Structure formats: structure tokens, C-alpha cells
Amino acid sequence: MTDSNGPGKGVKTPRNLNAAGRRLWDAATDEFSWADHELAILEESCRTRDRIVQLDKAVEDEGLMLPSSQGSRVHPAVSEGRQQRLALARLLVMLGIPALEDDPSASRRVYGKQSR
């Protein structure tokens, strides 16, 4: 993170973020200053967070197991959700962002440096 902009100053929220992505964006931009290339990574992190919520909702709505011609199988959103969580963790590590405290799906482990 750099001092190219002050926390929350002149940083527009990306379009089409859902609640979870917006929460991550707001928390990160309220607390830290970002260079342009870091904002691009942050935006992808927020979109990934929204995708995770959508995948979790699909599993919640349709069930963990789905019928198929070969018998029951695990919902494909379970595997994709796991992959998206790994991607999100890597993006957040790149930025040094700790897990959101109000995020029940986030690890309580803190990545990167705490003070900026």
C-alpha cells in the first residue's frame, strides 16, 4: 500500500458490487491508502467475495447434494466456492488485508501486516 491517496479519499466504489463486495471495498478504502494497481486487485477481491456469497446461496437453495444420472453428487458450487475462497485469500494476502471481523466465512487468521 502506498500514500498515493488518503484512506477513502477520491476512491470510487466499483459498479455492480453486491453487499459483501461493497463491505470489503468500504472497509479497505476507509482504512488504507492504495495505489492504482492495488485498487485493481482490491476490486477483483470484492468481486470474488460477491461470487462466494452467490455460490453459497446456490448450495443453500438447491442443497448440498444434487441428483444425477449416476446418483447423488455434491453440488458443483461447493468445489467452485472452495476455489474462489483460495483465490480471495491469495488476493487479500497480496494486499496485506486482514479478514473482515463481521465475515463469518473468513478465517480469523490475520494475513500480512496489521498496521499500515
Side-chain angles (χ1 to χ4, degrees), residues 1 32 34 88-99 107-116:
M1 283 175 254
F32 302 115
W34 303 98
L88 179 59
R90 289 181 183 129
L91 290 166
L92 296 179
V93 166
M94 288 173 61
L95 295 172
I97 297 177
S107 167
R108 294 295 170 225
R109 185 172 165 194
V110 176
Y111 297 100
K113 300 175 186 171
Q114 285 194 15
S115 60
R116 296 280 173 201

Side-chain angles (χ1 to χ4, degrees), residues 52-96:
I52 291 166
V53 171
Q54 291 170 340
L55 290 164
D56 288 348
K57 179 79 170 121
V59 173
E60 181 182 320
D61 291 348
E62 299 167 21
L64 180 63
M65 303 299 288
L66 296 177
S68 75
S69 61
Q70 300 170 341
S72 292
R73 63 183 174 92
V74 174
H75 196 298
V78 172
S79 176
E80 184 59 28
R82 181 174 47 245
Q83 293 300 318
Q84 292 296 314
R85 282 177 174 79
L86 289 170
L88 179 59
R90 289 181 183 129
L91 290 166
L92 296 179
V93 166
M94 288 173 61
L95 295 172

Side-chain angles (χ1 to χ4, degrees), residues 2-35:
T2 66
D3 290 329
S4 64
N5 55 37
K9 295 180 181 165
V11 180
K12 285 186 172 183
T13 303
R15 292 181 183 197
N16 302 321
L17 288 181
N18 294 325
R22 198 172 312 111
R23 232 180 1 263
L24 176 57
W25 179 270
D26 290 344
T29 57
D30 285 349
E31 197 162 327
F32 302 115
S33 298
W34 303 98

